[in-house]
Amino acid sequence: WDIDDATVVCKQLGYSRALSAPRRAAYGQGTGPILMTYVRCRGSEAKLQDCIFVANHNCAHHGDASVSCDPLQVDNTTNSYEEVDTIRLRGENATDSEGRVEVFRNGVWGTVCDDAWDMNDATVVCRQLGYSRPRSAPLRAAYGQGTGPILMDDVQCRGSEAE
């Protein structure tokens, strides 16, 4: 486990880079089956699963890999740095793969206004959450109105953005 492996994980999570690749369950031991061992990434792979690894393991959870990702990313439109948003789906009848889009910014969860919301925007959200593509991009608080502040409005993604 090294910085190249951690870089792939951080990029997959939407961060720009890894700061470190701690070993030996630095953030605590996991539970359940160990699915990958002897991971070898070049650092350019899109997903950890694209790296070379051994599926059969001789590892215990005291050897779980960890990452520390850079919480800052470059906003190419302003050349300024901002904290990376965390995104989730919530609301009435929401599931892991559908619901009202909420983002976490500056310590607060809030909603995304659906002005100009379309399939390109939904594609980027789905990609951030690990899904291949959206089925739809519902409007008008289809999953109920949020309770926090509206943190994003007039979102206009091209559909190719990582986040």
Side-chain angles (χ1 to χ4, degrees):
W1 188 253
D2 63 19
I3 196 69
D4 291 332
D5 308 327
T7 294
V8 172
V9 171
C10 289
K11 286 183 178 179
Q12 189 174 354
L13 292 170
Y15 296 95
S16 59
R17 67 187 180 110
L19 296 174
S20 66
R23 303 172 90 182
R24 299 265 179 236
Y27 295 104
Q29 294 184 20
T31 60
I34 297 171
L35 302 177
M36 302 172 84
T37 190
Y38 299 110
V39 177
R40 293 289 172 251
C41 300
R42 292 183 308 276
S44 59
E45 295 87 351
K47 300 179 293 193
L48 188 63
Q49 298 89 321
D50 296 337
C51 301
I52 296 169
F53 66 93
V54 176
N56 298 328
H57 72 87
N58 64 351
C59 190
H61 285 294
H62 69 272
D64 287 347
S66 303
V67 298
S68 175
C69 301
D70 189 347
L72 299 176
Q73 68 179 22
V74 175
D75 174 355
N76 292 327
T77 60
T78 63
N79 290 326
S80 65
Y81 287 87
E82 65 179 55
E83 209 168 310
V84 173
D85 296 331
T86 301
I87 193 164
R88 68 183 183 185
L89 300 176
R90 292 290 189 266
E92 300 163 13
N93 300 314
T95 67
D96 288 343
S97 62
E98 58 184 297
R100 177 182 58 250
V101 178
E102 296 185 353
V103 295
F104 188 76
R105 180 175 281 166
N106 298 323
V108 177
W109 281 104
T111 59
V112 177
C113 186
D114 66 8
D115 294 347
W117 188 258
D118 63 17
M119 288 296 280
N120 289 335
D121 306 316
T123 296
V124 174
V125 169
C126 287
R127 184 178 300 117
Q128 279 187 269
L129 293 171
Y131 299 104
S132 58
R133 66 180 194 277
R135 278 188 251 150
S136 63
L139 303 171
R140 293 178 177 72
Y143 292 91
Q145 293 187 359
T147 57
I150 296 171
L151 295 178
M152 297 178 76
D153 192 6
D154 298 315
V155 176
Q156 294 182 349
C157 297
R158 292 181 307 275
S160 58
E161 299 89 346
E163 49 189 54

